[in-house]
Every structure is written in structure tokens, then in C-alpha cells.
Amino acid sequence: MLKRSSIFALAFGGLSLPLLATDNTLLLQSDPWCPFVCDGEHKGIVVELAERILQDAGYDTSMELINWARAVYNVSEGSADVLVGAYYGDAPGLLFHKQPIAQSQQCFYALDAHWHYREPASLKGRKTVVIHDYSYGEQGDRLFAHYPPFLAVAGSRLTERRIRMLERGRVDTIIEEKHVFAWELDKLKQSGMNLPDLHEAGCLEPLGMYIGFTAVDEFKLLPATVDRALRRLKAAGELAPLLESYGL
């Protein structure tokens, strides 16, 4: 956790960045959301890029995976420093960079191959399951304000539990980020779970993913640092292969 004392400036890439003379470790928090944020052999594309950029800027980093709602709260109130893998709508009070680290897309899944999401009214009468305290981007959050989800779930094994709800008829629609859902389905298949024939029934508009910093003066230059680093990695041809390695 970054201490708010003993500050000095370090020049990095033409910017003057606030760093600490004693402890300049940033505490990064998120929840597992692979391939963006992973728990295991792979760190996740957003974690890899966040750590690389911040370490290149002179910071040490410590990554912690916890409940998403808790991570949002911790970074917002300052007991952690960086929220990893967020949409702007997850925590509007944080400091965000402008260029997305990766693109994500929320899609709908159903057993009924005849149903398709084409417009908000498509959800009328549907029993949609969402994850408690998640943002689905500005478009998704507006959508659920008009057509409230039937059920919000929290806890562990969320993909498996939602699929079982679908099979048992408790819900008829799942919304999930398409890369995350594909990753989770592959894991379940490898574990030997028999999966139903799920139908991708349409998607919302693609969304950028970001890292957000606690809104304090010490971090006010970091969003610009992230944007500069992403432009540099893209220009050097280093960004695309890393994204492709995660199937993005």
C-alpha cells in the first residue's frame, strides 16, 4: 500500500511523477476475470500491462484478488491504490486513463436458439441473471434500469451456478463478457462438466477496460503515464502480440 509521505519527484517519459522515498509499492486489487485478470498460471492481460507500466514508471506493485465489490470500495476509499480491469461505470470517482488497455463485450446466452437480443425491448419478459455489484457498462446499466434483471448472484463458481440455473429453468438468459465466458466454459469442459448447448444470442457494444487509481494528488499524473505507455507499446509492436496471446 502506497504511503502518503516522504514524496519526491521522478522524471519519467517527460512527465514528473510523484514517488516515495521509502515505500512506493502500489496495491492493485481486482477479482478473477480471465483472460483480463487471472488466478493461476496466467496473470491476465490487464494485470500484465498494469504491472509492466507501473513498474517501468518506478513503482513496485502487489496484486491481490478479492471480491469485486470490496476491491471497488477499497480503491475508492484509499485502502488500496489501483483497481484493475474496470469500466468507467464501476467506480466513477477514480482516476482513469483515456486509452483502453483491452476491449471487452457483454453478450447474452440462452438455451433457446430462437431468441435473439436486438434491442432493449428484447429483454421484456426474460429472466436474466447478473452478478451482484457488477457494472455492465453504460449501455448495459441503462438497459437493466429499464428491464431489471430477474436475479443477481454473488459468491464463488458463478459461471457453473448460472448455467445450472439456466438448465433448471430458474432463469432463461445469462449476460457475460464473451471472452470471460469462453474462458470459463473451457475450464468447466476440462473439469469434466457436461455443458448444455448454449446459444450466443446477441451482444452489447464493445467496451474499453481500464485501471483506475484512487483520487488523490499523488496519483493525478498516473493516468497520463498509462496512456503514454500504451501508445509506446503499440508503436513498438509489442501490444498486439500480448493481446493475441490471451485470445483478444
Side-chain angles (χ1 to χ4, degrees):
M1 174 63 190
L2 189 68
K3 296 178 181 177
R4 317 293 186 198
S5 59
S6 304
I7 301 174
F8 69 95
L10 173 72
F12 175 77
L15 294 175
S16 179
L17 298 180
L19 289 181
L20 303 184
T22 53
D23 182 3
N24 66 332
T25 299
L26 295 175
L27 177 57
L28 286 61
Q29 289 188 341
S30 188
D31 70 341
W33 212 50
C34 216
F36 301 107
V37 179
C38 304
D39 183 11
E41 178 184 355
H42 305 280
K43 288 185 175 183
I45 181 63
V46 182
V47 177
E48 283 200 34
L49 285 170
E51 289 184 338
R52 176 173 177 175
I53 290 168
L54 295 172
Q55 289 167 10
D56 284 350
Y59 290 93
D60 295 322
T61 60
S62 175
M63 183 69 207
E64 186 176 18
L65 297 178
I66 61 173
N67 173 273
W68 179 250
R70 173 56 60 179
V72 172
Y73 175 81
N74 288 348
V75 178
S76 296
E77 62 88 29
S79 60
D81 302 304
V82 187
L83 185 65
V84 179
Y87 299 140
Y88 286 155
D90 282 311
L94 299 186
L95 303 174
F96 285 103
H97 48 102
K98 295 180 180 179
Q99 181 177 337
I101 283 184
Q103 290 287 335
S104 71
Q105 190 171 28
Q106 299 288 340
C107 296
F108 295 95
Y109 299 88
L111 295 177
D112 179 5
H114 299 291
W115 179 77
H116 294 270
Y117 174 82
R118 293 186 174 88
E119 59 184 12
S122 301
L123 287 181
K124 187 175 182 180
R126 302 290 296 182
K127 297 177 180 178
T128 306
V129 58
V130 300
I131 298 177
H132 180 63
D133 279 338
Y134 267 42
S135 170
Y136 289 89
E138 184 178 350
Q139 184 186 9
D141 293 343
R142 281 200 317 267
L143 181 65
F144 290 128
H146 289 89
Y147 296 96
F150 176 75
L151 186 64
V153 295
S156 60
R157 299 185 299 108
L158 291 174
T159 301
E160 178 183 348
R161 287 166 53 199
R162 285 177 292 165
I163 290 173
R164 294 306 184 211
M165 290 175 186
L166 201 65
E167 289 181 308
R168 294 166 184 162
R170 290 189 62 195
V171 299
D172 51 32
T173 316
I174 295 172
I175 181 171
E176 181 58 276
E177 203 289 323
K178 67 178 182 180
H179 300 100
V180 174
F181 204 56
W183 194 286
E184 289 293 320
L185 290 179
D186 186 60
K187 281 175 53 181
L188 291 174
K189 288 177 183 176
Q190 291 181 25
S191 73
M193 179 177 170
N194 291 321
L195 297 173
D197 187 13
L198 292 166
H199 163 61
E200 185 182 293
C203 302
L204 303 181
E205 296 174 1
L207 288 167
M209 296 198 70
Y210 304 84
I211 59 175
F213 300 91
T214 304
V216 292
D217 288 343
E218 290 93 328
F219 296 158
K220 65 183 180 181
L221 294 178
L222 282 178
T225 299
V226 175
D227 281 324
R228 287 174 62 91
L230 289 172
R231 288 194 296 269
R232 186 177 67 249
L233 290 169
K234 184 176 181 180
E238 297 180 44
L239 190 57
L242 186 56
L243 290 167
E244 289 171 4
S245 72
Y246 282 93
L248 301 172

